[in-house]
């Protein structure tokens, strides 16, 4: 075991053959250990996978549509009839779309590709770190990534983040390869990976560009002018690999393709720069949450005062959130990643990653300019700092699961930094660094576990006490006598095990219970966070929830909230009562703002009777039904495997279709039913409200298993 950690790999690669014998210097245990890591990750991510059902039914419906129509597959349409796309580019839908074509429509065929991407991400990160810091560093990095709670969540989910993380790790791999041998081909490949990342989640992938570019220009081979040329080649490759699809969408006749969901002008460029781009940074997201970009406070008509947005209702309830600092998405600031909404997802090892990473860079400071190990530490360090800074201060839509983008950087810095510091522990200050990393991790774990105090209540005390003991042992790690060295090794192993204990417990809890909806959360429910089902709980000290960061409520009646039967009521009508304990399920609960009819964040769950009704004469219609909002439509589409028009896209506020277009569809007999139950944010608004009013005025409603619908072929 001492050989495992102490023996440094040959420079520049640990698996280089011995110069005299030609025999590889790999230890015998390396491949078995790597195999265990990969197999264990696969088991963790694939085990009980079907428990998540359709996971995010918003994307599952688009995957189902793409399995029926190549045109829908190419554009990322929500329905096979190509009425509107999802609010992201389609690359993350392409692989599961093929999977569904091959294996049929089921939970496994949709989600398993993401789980395999997770296994590939862990394996690739292992290889990147192992090549420069040996197998011990690779194992620590790989295990840390695999057990990060938000990674265990998102690699078992069908959001775009799984593919995005894999592509970003691949971009780092290619950049470090370019630093190793100086060939331009690797930087071109870097650009391709980043371009594909853009086709996965648009501008979020751009967060890795500064770390990649700065690292290559600082540590790459050749002259600085050639390195700059290589970066321009990478930029060109990125533009080509992403731009071909953007150009195709922009040049394609608008009346012959799907409306671009999330945009207000049917433009992929608007979506890129606005709702999914700079709007996420400054909060000016047209079409977000409520029509026209207005926030929740505007929706209720409550003025912002004293820097606070107050959501007031005539019934007496108020919901408040920090104005201009993230609004309903939580207060912005340097501590955002450690707050209750995000902490349990990612924060466990962030302090240790920063401590070990900075110390390791200092230890490599006297190496050559092209030192590949220092380059690895720098690129991951810049990744962590850049992404964490943007996430901490972005004022627009922010969800805790976004933090999965931090997980590879944290894992790599912990693995590489720990091994580098351990090998150089003869320096007097390095044992202090190791002890500080172990102690801060123990304290961080105690704080995070205490937020879900009912979950394994003994674990936080064990982790804290053991980390203190391990820190003391690491302080003695530079002593020369054999007993002290063995004791320090035991302390190091204990520190690693205890450092991963909290995340591992959360990860196991994540894979053991159902996760669904548009805002999933890893681990047990925590005070002020999101529940496992993907809903936002609003209340005071509620078990399994509490208010989101920076928001509070009092008791009262809230118009525009769900009414208990799954219907989102328009403003001015009575909504749900906030219970006496102060808890209110704003977006969560069994239906996630919608129950049977679905809603903003959860898909609809139609009964067998309703599915049979929708399937009646289904071949005679382009859309068997239309519903306000993509999530409301998704459950019906997945159950019937027929196209259901999602009016207004995800938020129910996109101008697709217009009232005139909808009337034309009805006149031509293309839509059978209009489903009134469910809806987008606060009843949809915009085109959704116009269409709803017209349908209610001209057609007779009927109710099937609690769902209100109108037969559009039978005017009143």
């Amino acid at each position: 075991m001492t050989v495992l950690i102490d023996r440094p790999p040959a420079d520049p690669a640990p698996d280089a053959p011995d110069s005299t014998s030609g025999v590889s210097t790999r230890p015998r245990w390396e491949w078995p250990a790597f195999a265990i890591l990969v197999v264990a990750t696969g088991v963790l991510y694939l085990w009980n996978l079907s428990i998540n059902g359709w996971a995010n039914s918003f994307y599952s419906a688009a995957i189902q549509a793409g399995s029926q129509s190549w045109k829908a597959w190419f554009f990322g349409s929500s329905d096979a009839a190509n009425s509107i796309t999802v609010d992201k580019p389609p690359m993350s839908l392409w692989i599961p779309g093929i999977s569904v074509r091959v294996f049929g429509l089921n939970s496994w065929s949709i989600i398993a590709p993401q789980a395999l991407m997770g296994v590939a991400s862990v394996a690739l990160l292992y290889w990147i770190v192992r090549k420069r810091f040996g197998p011990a560093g690779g194992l620590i990095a790989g295990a840390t990534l695999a057990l990060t709670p938000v990674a265990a969540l998102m690699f078992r989910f069908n959001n775009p983040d799984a593919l995005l993380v894999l592509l970003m790790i691949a971009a780092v791999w290619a950049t470090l390869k370019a630093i190793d041998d100086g060939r331009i081909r690797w930087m071109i490949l870097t650009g391709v990976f980043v371009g594909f990342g853009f086709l996965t989640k648009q501008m979020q992938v751009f967060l890795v560009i500064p770390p990649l570019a700065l690292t290559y220009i600082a540590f790459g081979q050749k002259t600085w002018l050639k390195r700059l040329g290589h970066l321009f080649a990478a930029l060109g490759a990125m533009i080509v690999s992403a731009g071909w699809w953007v150009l195709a969408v922009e040049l394609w006749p608008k009346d012959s393709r799907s409306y671009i969901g999330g945009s207000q002008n049917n433009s992929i460029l608007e979506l890129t720069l606005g709702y999914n781009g700079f709007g996420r940074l400054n909060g000016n997201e047209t079409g977000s949450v409520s029509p026209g970009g207005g926030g929740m406070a505007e929706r209720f008509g409550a003025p912002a005062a004293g820097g606070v947005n107050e959501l007031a209702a005539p019934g007496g309830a108020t919901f408040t959130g920090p104005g201009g600092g993230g609004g309903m998405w939580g207060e912005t600031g340097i501590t955002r990643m450690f707050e209750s909404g995000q902490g349990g997802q990612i924060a466990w090892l962030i302090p240790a990653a920063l401590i070990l990473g900075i110390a390791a860079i200092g230890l490599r400071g006297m190496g050559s300019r092209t030192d590949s190990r220092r380059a690895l530490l720098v690129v991951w360090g810049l990744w962590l700092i850049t992404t964490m800074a943007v996430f901490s201060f972005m004022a627009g839509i922010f969800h805790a699961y976004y933090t999965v983008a931090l997980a590879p950087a944290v894992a790599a810095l912990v693995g590489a930094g720990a091994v580098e510091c351990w090998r150089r522990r003869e320096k007097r200050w390095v044992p202090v660094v190791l002890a500080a990393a172990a102690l801060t991790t123990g304290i961080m774990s105690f704080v995070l576990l205490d937020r879900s105090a009912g979950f394994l209540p003994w674990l936080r005390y064990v982790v804290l006490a053991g980390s203190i003991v391990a820190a003391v042992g690491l302080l003695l790690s530079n002593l020369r006598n054999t007993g002290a060295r063995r004791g320090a090794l035991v302390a190091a192993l204990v520190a690693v095990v205890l450092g991963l204990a909290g995340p591992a417990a959360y990860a196991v809890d994540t894979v053991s219970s159902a996760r669904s909806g548009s805002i999933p959360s890893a681990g047990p429910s925590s005070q002020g966070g999101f529940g496992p089902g993907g809903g936002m709980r609003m209340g005071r000290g509620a078990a399994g929830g509490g208010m989101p960061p920076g928001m509070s409520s009092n008791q009262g009646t809230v118009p525009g909230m769900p009414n208990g039967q799954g219907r989102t009521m328009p403003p001015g009508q009575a909504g749900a009562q906030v219970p006496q304990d102060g808890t209110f399920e704003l977006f969560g609960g069994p239906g996630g703002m919608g129950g049977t009819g679905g809603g903003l964040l959860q898909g609809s769950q139609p009964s067998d009777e309703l599915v049979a009704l929708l399937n009646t004469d289904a071949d005679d219609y382009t859309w068997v039904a239309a519903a306000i909002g993509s999530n409301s439509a998704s459950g019906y589409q997945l159950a019937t495997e027929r196209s259901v028009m999602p009016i207004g896209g995800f938020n129910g506020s996109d101008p697709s279709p217009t009232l005139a277009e909808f009337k034309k569809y009805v006149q031509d007999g293309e839509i059978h039913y209009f489903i009134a139950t469910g809806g987008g944010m606060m009843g949809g608004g915009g085109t959704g409200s116009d269409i709803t009013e017209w349908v209610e005025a001209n057609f007779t409603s009927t109710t099937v298993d609690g769902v209100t619908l109108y037969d559009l072929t039978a005017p009143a």
Side-chain angles (χ1 to χ4, degrees):
M1 184 61 69
T2 303
V3 173
L4 184 154
I5 299 179
D6 280 354
R7 183 170 64 190
D11 223 349
D15 56 346
D18 182 83
S19 58
T20 57
S21 65
V23 178
S24 173
T25 59
R26 285 191 179 127
R28 293 180 179 178
W29 50 264
E30 179 182 350
W31 284 116
F34 174 69
I36 291 173
L37 172 67
V38 171
V39 171
T41 302
V43 171
L44 179 68
Y45 290 170
L46 290 168
W47 178 76
N48 204 24
L49 190 61
S50 59
I51 194 175
N52 289 338
W54 299 122
N56 190 337
S57 62
F58 171 60
Y59 291 118
S60 291
I63 292 167
Q64 179 271 332
S67 72
Q68 292 185 334
S69 163
W70 285 114
K71 188 175 183 180
W73 180 85
F74 179 79
F75 287 110
S77 302
S78 290
D79 56 288
N82 291 285
S83 64
I84 193 170
T85 70
V86 298
D87 57 4
K88 299 290 186 296
M91 181 163 278
S92 67
L93 306 175
W94 288 346
I95 297 175
I98 296 295
S99 174
V100 172
R101 279 184 178 269
V102 174
F103 300 106
L105 180 65
N106 56 72
S107 179
W108 267 79
S109 63
I110 288 176
I111 308 176
Q114 278 67 236
L116 297 178
M117 292 174 196
V119 176
S121 296
V122 169
L124 184 56
L125 185 66
Y126 165 88
W127 186 255
I128 291 171
V129 177
R130 179 251 175 239
K131 185 174 178 63
R132 293 157 185 86
F133 290 90
L139 288 173
I140 295 173
T144 300
L145 176 59
L147 295 175
T148 299
V150 71
L153 170 72
M154 298 313 295
F155 286 132
R156 291 168 51 88
F157 220 72
N158 58 332
N159 281 26
D161 301 77
L163 179 58
L164 178 68
V165 168
L166 176 58
L167 290 169
M168 292 193 298
I169 294 174
V172 171
W173 169 78
T175 299
L176 292 175
K177 287 283 290 184
I179 291 173
D180 286 342
D181 67 14
R183 288 184 286 183
I184 192 174
R185 69 178 68 172
W186 300 115
M187 289 310 297
I188 291 175
L189 188 58
T190 296
V192 171
F193 286 136
V194 174
F196 287 169
F198 178 88
L199 293 184
T200 300
K201 209 175 179 187
Q202 291 192 308
M203 292 181 71
Q204 183 177 331
V205 76
F206 289 175
L207 295 179
V208 301
I209 292 179
L212 295 173
L214 290 174
T215 301
Y216 187 72
I217 203 71
F219 305 116
Q221 299 186 27
K222 312 293 185 181
T223 65
W224 71 267
L225 195 58
K226 287 186 177 181
R227 297 198 300 275
L228 188 61
H230 291 181
L231 289 178
F232 276 107
L235 176 63
M238 181 192 75
I239 293 173
V240 171
S241 60
W244 69 271
W245 184 84
V246 174
L247 186 63
V249 173
E250 286 297 299
L251 295 180
W252 202 292
K254 290 185 177 181
D255 59 357
S256 178
R257 62 160 169 79
S258 315
Y259 184 94
I260 303 301
S263 74
Q264 300 301 295
N265 297 300
N266 198 9
S267 169
I268 187 64
L269 295 179
E270 178 204 337
L271 177 66
T272 300
L273 299 175
Y275 180 70
N276 281 339
F278 298 112
R280 298 287 170 124
L281 301 178
N282 58 30
N284 296 323
E285 298 167 288
T286 301
S288 166
V289 181
S290 60
M296 289 181 68
E298 291 181 27
R299 184 65 170 165
F300 283 110
V308 173
N309 290 330
E310 183 171 86
L311 286 58
T318 60
F319 296 86
T320 60
M328 65 176 291
W329 312 114
E331 188 171 1
T332 59
I334 197 170
T335 62
R336 192 180 202 179
M337 295 302 101
F338 302 93
E339 292 173 354
S340 54
Q342 291 72 242
Q345 312 297 299
I346 190 63
W348 306 84
L349 289 164
I350 287 179
L354 293 172
I355 292 170
L356 294 171
I358 293 172
I361 291 173
L363 290 170
R364 303 296 305 178
M366 299 305 294
S368 66
R369 186 184 61 80
T370 58
D371 180 8
S372 182
R373 295 175 189 164
R374 182 175 55 191
L376 180 146
L377 294 164
V378 169
V379 72
W380 289 116
L382 290 174
W383 173 328
L384 177 60
I385 293 171
T386 301
T387 305
M388 192 162 63
V390 171
F391 285 173
S392 295
F393 292 97
M394 59 190 288
I397 294 175
F398 174 79
H399 301 311
Y401 70 79
Y402 291 177
T403 58
V404 70
L406 298 172
V410 171
L413 289 173
V414 168
V419 168
E420 181 68 19
C421 288
W422 178 260
R423 290 174 182 158
R424 306 289 290 277
R425 64 189 181 279
E426 72 281 354
K427 293 182 177 293
R428 293 183 179 180
W429 58 272
V430 173
V432 177
V433 169
L434 291 169
L439 184 59
T440 55
T441 299
I443 295 173
M444 190 79 256
S445 294
F446 183 89
V447 171
L448 297 176
L449 288 167
D450 189 58
R451 291 175 180 170
S452 52
F455 174 73
L456 300 179
W458 53 269
L459 182 59
R460 61 187 185 275
Y461 299 105
V462 172
V463 170
L464 180 61
S467 296
I468 293 173
V469 174
V472 173
L474 289 170
L475 284 174
L476 307 177
S477 61
N478 61 353
L479 297 181
R480 300 284 182 162
N481 66 78
T482 303
R485 290 174 66 87
R486 290 177 178 173
L489 179 60
V490 172
L493 295 176
V494 169
V496 171
V497 171
L498 292 179
L500 294 176
Y506 265 50
V508 171
D509 179 82
T510 299
V511 305
S512 301
S513 54
R515 311 282 158 159
S516 63
S518 296
I519 311 181
S521 180
S525 298
S526 62
Q527 181 64 30
F530 284 75
M536 180 189 293
R537 289 190 172 188
M538 309 187 77
R540 296 183 294 273
M547 293 300 297
M551 301 186 74
S552 60
S553 75
N554 66 7
Q555 195 260 338
T557 301
V558 188
M561 297 297 185
N563 71 355
Q565 281 76 44
R567 175 70 187 271
T568 302
M569 304 299 292
Q573 299 183 29
Q577 282 283 338
V578 178
Q580 293 295 329
D581 67 359
T583 303
F584 183 72
E585 293 278 2
L586 176 60
F587 298 142
M593 187 180 268
T596 301
L600 179 67
L601 301 180
Q602 284 279 9
S604 48
Q605 302 173 32
S607 65
D608 292 341
E609 181 182 355
L610 184 54
V611 171
L613 178 64
L614 294 177
N615 277 325
T616 302
D617 300 323
D619 292 336
D620 297 337
Y621 303 94
T622 304
W623 295 276
V624 296
I628 305 295
S630 296
N631 266 318
S632 292
S634 64
Y636 303 113
Q637 180 169 302
L638 290 165
T640 62
E641 297 191 44
R642 308 276 185 170
S643 293
V644 176
M645 178 186 290
I647 297 172
F650 182 85
N651 290 310
S653 59
D654 295 342
S656 171
T658 64
L659 177 58
E661 290 169 337
F662 187 81
K663 289 180 178 180
K664 184 66 164 57
Y665 290 137
V666 173
Q667 179 183 343
D668 294 343
E670 294 193 65
I671 309 174
H672 195 176
Y673 292 101
F674 175 80
I675 302 172
T677 303
M681 184 63 182
M682 308 309 169
T687 186
S689 293
D690 295 339
I691 290 172
T692 300
E693 291 175 4
W694 178 76
V695 170
E696 290 176 345
N698 292 278
F699 299 88
T700 303
S701 67
T702 185
T703 301
V704 178
D705 290 336
V707 175
T708 301
L709 68 164
Y710 297 79
D711 186 344
L712 300 180
T713 65

